[in-house]
Amino acid sequence: MKKINLILGVFLTITSIANAQNTFTLSSNDLGGSATINEEFNGFGCTGNNQSPQLSWNNAPKGTKSFAVTMYDPDAPTGSGWWHWVVFDIPSTITSLKSDSGDVSLNLMPKEAIQSITDYGAHGYGGPCPPEGHGLHQYIITVHALKTEKLGLTKETNPAVVGYYLWNNTLAKASIVTYYKRDKK
């Protein structure tokens, strides 16, 4: 009986490891557990570099025709959170974004990709800028594997509408959570 349990345990461990290696994953060479001054917004009282992080993803599900990337702060004191980055129509052949791709003036994003407006009212990446003394905010960066090549939206589409289209077209999601706070000066 002990031998059967041992064999079963080894089999389940190997199966779990094999399956975990095939899951849709998102990683970043720039981010650790906390965002830094590099990612912090430059405005609204913040003085960061407003640099979007490098992102890489792999193992997208079969049928993926495009990707979208979002960055959301559910801890913002707005009643509805805060959208920091909304990018969609990223071709399915793309599996990474360079650091600072969120700066629309640098043209580092694939030409087909659309960076729509954020809750800052601007296009592209707008980094963390929580109110001073409000404590840690979580920033959820998510890559969405989509079942459509194009969402049919424009760069002027607000985050709520983009989110609705993402919800209707997402095959899988992978996320990274990073944290940031600003102490009172």
Side-chain angles (χ1 to χ4, degrees), residues 118-180:
T118 66
D119 284 337
Y120 287 118
H123 299 98
Y125 176 83
C129 184
E132 287 182 351
H134 200 255
L136 284 170
H137 282 220
Q138 57 183 325
Y139 297 88
I140 305 166
I141 301 169
T142 303
V143 61
H144 305 255
L146 304 175
K147 63 183 177 183
T148 184
E149 283 184 33
K150 304 281 184 190
L151 289 180
L153 305 173
T154 72
K155 68 180 188 174
E156 300 305 324
T157 307
N158 71 53
V161 172
V162 175
Y164 176 78
Y165 278 75
L166 291 178
W167 184 83
N168 281 299
N169 289 285
T170 296
L171 297 170
K173 298 190 282 189
S175 297
I176 295 173
V177 178
T178 190
Y179 296 87
Y180 198 67

Side-chain angles (χ1 to χ4, degrees), residues 27-178:
S27 61
S28 175
N29 295 330
D30 294 342
L31 293 175
S34 296
T36 68
I37 196 76
N38 286 332
E39 290 83 31
E40 184 185 76
F41 189 64
N42 191 335
F44 278 47
C46 290
T47 58
N49 297 328
N50 200 47
Q51 184 179 57
S52 62
Q54 179 278 337
L55 300 173
S56 298
W57 53 90
N58 57 40
N59 297 320
K62 185 176 181 179
T64 299
K65 295 183 179 175
S66 69
F67 296 101
V69 172
T70 59
M71 181 171 151
Y72 177 70
D73 172 6
D75 301 317
T78 63
S80 61
W82 192 271
W83 290 99
H84 288 264
W85 199 16
V86 182
V87 187
F88 53 89
D89 293 354
I90 301 170
S92 63
T93 56
I94 303 297
T95 58
S96 66
L97 298 176
K98 296 178 183 176
S99 297
D100 222 9
S101 291
D103 184 336
V104 294
S105 70
L106 297 177
N107 294 315
L108 296 175
M109 195 66 68
K111 66 178 175 146
E112 302 89 350
I114 296 173
Q115 297 195 68
S116 69
I117 57 174
T118 66
D119 284 337
Y120 287 118
H123 299 98
Y125 176 83
C129 184
E132 287 182 351
H134 200 255
L136 284 170
H137 282 220
Q138 57 183 325
Y139 297 88
I140 305 166
I141 301 169
T142 303
V143 61
H144 305 255
L146 304 175
K147 63 183 177 183
T148 184
E149 283 184 33
K150 304 281 184 190
L151 289 180
L153 305 173
T154 72
K155 68 180 188 174
E156 300 305 324
T157 307
N158 71 53
V161 172
V162 175
Y164 176 78
Y165 278 75
L166 291 178
W167 184 83
N168 281 299
N169 289 285
T170 296
L171 297 170
K173 298 190 282 189
S175 297
I176 295 173
V177 178
T178 190

